[in-house]
Amino acid sequence: MAVPKRKTSKQRKHTRAANWKISAPNLIECPQCHKKIRSHTVCRYCGYYDGKEVVAQKEEKK
């Protein structure tokens, strides 16, 4: 089993941990409804992808 030869300093440990950050998703505008969506996914508002309707949307009841 591998055992470290020396203690890892706080600075080295915290510097390594500082690079784990979340990034914002790339958003594009849907060509059908013009809302912001993630790229390469079906629009959850209108159900279109690549100019074709993929998911039929249910009508809202009032």
Side-chain angles (χ1 to χ4, degrees), residues 6-50:
R6 297 181 191 277
K7 179 181 178 179
T8 306
S9 68
K10 293 176 193 170
Q11 181 178 359
R12 183 175 288 274
K13 178 172 55 175
H14 293 150
T15 303
R16 197 179 329 119
N19 292 320
W20 286 86
K21 53 189 155 218
I22 192 164
S23 61
N26 293 334
L27 298 178
I28 61 165
E29 187 176 284
C30 175
Q32 300 293 327
C33 65
H34 305 289
K35 292 194 178 186
K36 296 287 185 180
I37 60 168
R38 297 183 94 179
S39 59
H40 304 291
T41 57
V42 176
C43 180
R44 52 192 250 188
Y45 304 105
C46 64
Y48 276 77
Y49 180 77
D50 197 23

